[in-house]
Amino acid sequence: MDLESNCLGAQSVFFQNPPSISGHACVVGKKEGEGPLKNSFDYISDDSFFGEKTWEKAENAMVKMAFELALDKASLSPSAVRALFAGDLLNQCTGTSFGLRGASVPFFGVFGACSTMAEGLCLAAMSIDGGFSACSAALTSSHFCSAERQFRLPLEYGGQRTPTAQWTATAAGAVLLSKSGTGPRITHITTGKIVDAGITDANNMGAAMAPAACDTLNAHFHDTGRSPSYYDAVITGDLGHFGHDILAHLAHAEHTSFPNIFTDCGILLYDSKTQDVHAGGSGCGCSAAVLCSYVFQKMLDRTYRSVLFVGTGALLSPTSSLQGESVPGIAHGVLLTSD
Amino acid sequence: MDLESNCLGAQSVFFQNPPSISGHACVVGKKEGEGPLKNSFDYISDDSFFGEKTWEKAENAMVKMAFELALDKASLSPSAVRALFAGDLLNQCTGTSFGLRGASVPFFGVFGACSTMAEGLCLAAMSIDGGFSACSAALTSSHFCSAERQFRLPLEYGGQRTPTAQWTATAAGAVLLSKSGTGPRITHITTGKIVDAGITDANNMGAAMAPAACDTLNAHFHDTGRSPSYYDAVITGDLGHFGHDILAHLAHAEHTSFPNIFTDCGILLYDSKTQDVHAGGSGCGCSAAVLCSYVFQKMLDRTYRSVLFVGTGALLSPTSSLQGESVPGIAHGVLLTSD
């Protein structure tokens, strides 16, 4: 076999034996469970603490539950999983490491900010197609309360949110990939580059991530030789309403058509008219939960046969913003197809 | 090709076409440059700020410099690198994302705490042997001052360090892997599991990581059918003196012999008698710098022909410790051989 036989263009890969989605689950909080996708989630908790004493431990519990639910739904034991790719936005990714410390599964920690689910799927798919695993998993989480107090202000302060601010989803999603199966398959991935457009407003992450999404989309279309019209849906991670509009503008400037098949998990997760989330949803759990509910359901009922899922991440920290840095973005593309 | 043809036992992988180390570089601070490996580093900075205004920006500068030096030494341009696996210990891995934002290279962020270099090498090797890349890179960094104020106390406070405390290395290392070349090759990897032995002292990370190192070593020896005597050296990441002793004790209990080929990057990096580092070195940069200097030099001059490099990470955060949590550990094994 030619060692580079799976490469396509400068940033994309296609799989000789496209791995199949053999299981998935998502766990969400109360607010997400009141939104437009409320009938699509596996578990909705009315308790923001998920039975734990702190919001960080609640996030650990969500991670554990999402992984166990995905395994249960697929009738698999943890020992079937040979490579688990997971991470989150808490400092040192503790949502993941504490949530999974009892799982006893070979583990690769990843950090892609809100692009983590897409990044994990890229790596999980490569691990299977490369012959390194028969079953791999991608997992991520976020929690509004643990994120808010880590990145912004104590919740008790009741800080006013800007119009461009997004609402960090309380959600965890887990996806199991197998070398065989009848679920949707990952046929291509496009690995993103870090793109820094100079945005310094940490409350406008849609603006910071949109250029990275545009860069990855252009790379994907160039590498595969396809246009957006090939896909039933192109779904970005968490650009939100402002970021989605900016992507439309950038895509137009790049001479890429921007048809109505483009949407965004941050727009889909909440009802913008009634749920007071300002520019939409965000957080690692946002795109993970929408993928594991809305997207996979539409693929399983064949409404969608070809979906380009583009996870988007803002690679900032509170410290980098306080030191005057701009916000680098990244986006990874995952092409899902069902027969 | 059988899709699982590269799997060996429960946690290990062997490569059909073992990727070769085609370039490497390390950049260190003044203290590291005064230690026993002082003649092995590519660049030693007398300025802890590396010409920048903050220690976090200094870490970004180190990351950028290590990557550029590795490329220069290998006579490669950034565009040759199709997949870059990198991360660090700063919140949200900003050492990496800001250090590499100008590189324009397809990027996968990883988080393995101090095991990051080993984790990155595992993923980079899989990306090449799987046919997804002809040249990949693994990169990581740490900085004593950015780590100390993030994880412990303001430096100005002058806090007393405990005897088991380790010294976070100011160092960045970059490794380039290619499908062809004459450098040392990665023939096997063993992916670690999260192991939590219940250690709650965040100042004794050697104790927290030693059980994970032992678990991965046992898996590696079991999966490959080899005993420690097969290797010229077994080099753990940053267990330090106490952790190394604990590993010896655990390995004895597991009926694994513990000969004098076992050593640790945290022991090698500093002179424990004169440099006042207490239990030894730590931080992502510790094992990266020792690998990119001492280890590769001994492999290139054929002192070592077979080295099992086992990066070790403590998956804690200040928040998890404040909430009373124990410290989960992880360790990834990378088998390097030279002809």
Side-chain angles (χ1 to χ4, degrees), chain A residues 183-209:
Chain A
R185 291 180 178 279
I186 296 179
T187 60
H188 297 69
I189 61 167
T190 301
T191 311
K193 297 177 174 180
I194 300 171
V195 175
D196 191 335
I199 305 294
T200 52
D201 180 359
N203 288 309
N204 193 354
M205 292 199 285
M209 297 188 289

Side-chain angles (χ1 to χ4, degrees), chain A residues 62-86:
Chain A
M62 289 164 62
V63 167
K64 186 170 185 285
M65 187 186 290
F67 185 49
E68 290 175 353
L69 271 176
L71 288 169
D72 278 355
K73 286 170 68 182
S75 301
L76 288 172
S77 72
S79 64
V81 180
R82 202 185 164 92
L84 173 52
F85 299 88

